[in-house]
Amino acid sequence: SMIMRDPELAIQTLAALKDLGVKLSIDDFGTGHSSLAYLKRLPLDQLKIDRAFVRDIGRNANDEAISRAVIGLARQLGLTTVAEGVEREEQAAFLRREGCKIGQGYLFCKPVSAEALAVYWWHRQPAPGETP
């Protein structure tokens, strides 16, 4: 929505962030204010497939087609695809087959506090709910 208010300023700001080494993603791609017109102009690294499309993978051919299309679009633009809301192995398997290399969701780990993440990251301890 910020990009929609002042697209030129947003593009300049994002380009400056990119120059600093910041990786940029479009969250919830395919919903809300996502626009293919901006997609070609923004200095992006990733597209995130909204959980609304991931939720029914394995149950809904339309959601699978949309997810497949986003993955293909990202690939053609040289972007990484991240799938949000991956909760079942069936979803993860489909996404891997289609070329999506990164997933977020309860299948991998429940949300954790910043403190628990720091312990896990620095000491390589299992995150809560994760088996050692």
Side-chain angles (χ1 to χ4, degrees):
S1 58
M2 178 199 75
I3 291 172
M4 300 299 279
R5 283 193 296 270
D6 191 343
E8 293 309 317
L9 177 61
I11 290 168
Q12 290 172 8
T13 303
L14 292 174
L17 289 169
K18 181 94 170 155
D19 289 344
L20 293 172
V22 174
K23 300 288 184 187
L24 302 170
S25 299
I26 288 190
D27 196 26
D28 303 331
F29 186 74
T31 64
H33 293 294
S34 298
S35 169
L36 293 174
Y38 293 122
L39 185 58
K40 69 179 189 176
R41 296 182 60 204
L42 297 173
L44 299 172
D45 299 289
Q46 298 179 335
L47 287 183
K48 294 179 84 175
I49 305 171
D50 188 77
R51 73 183 67 247
F53 304 120
V54 173
R55 181 181 308 120
D56 287 327
I57 286 175
R59 301 179 204 156
N60 184 301
N62 290 335
D63 285 336
E64 290 176 5
I66 290 168
S67 297
R68 192 178 287 120
V70 172
I71 294 165
L73 176 63
R75 183 181 309 116
Q76 292 300 312
L77 294 172
L79 305 174
T80 301
T81 309
V82 179
E84 298 178 331
V86 181
E87 297 181 359
R88 301 184 327 272
E89 184 55 46
E90 179 182 23
Q91 295 163 322
F94 171 88
L95 293 161
R96 279 191 299 269
R97 274 193 314 274
E98 296 302 322
C100 179
K101 308 246 188 289
I102 302 173
Q104 298 174 324
Y106 289 171
L107 178 65
F108 309 111
C109 186
K110 302 265 189 216
V112 298
S113 68
E115 294 80 17
L117 181 60
V119 168
Y120 171 75
W121 185 262
W122 294 110
H123 303 289
R124 301 292 190 245
Q125 298 297 314
E130 191 176 54
T131 55

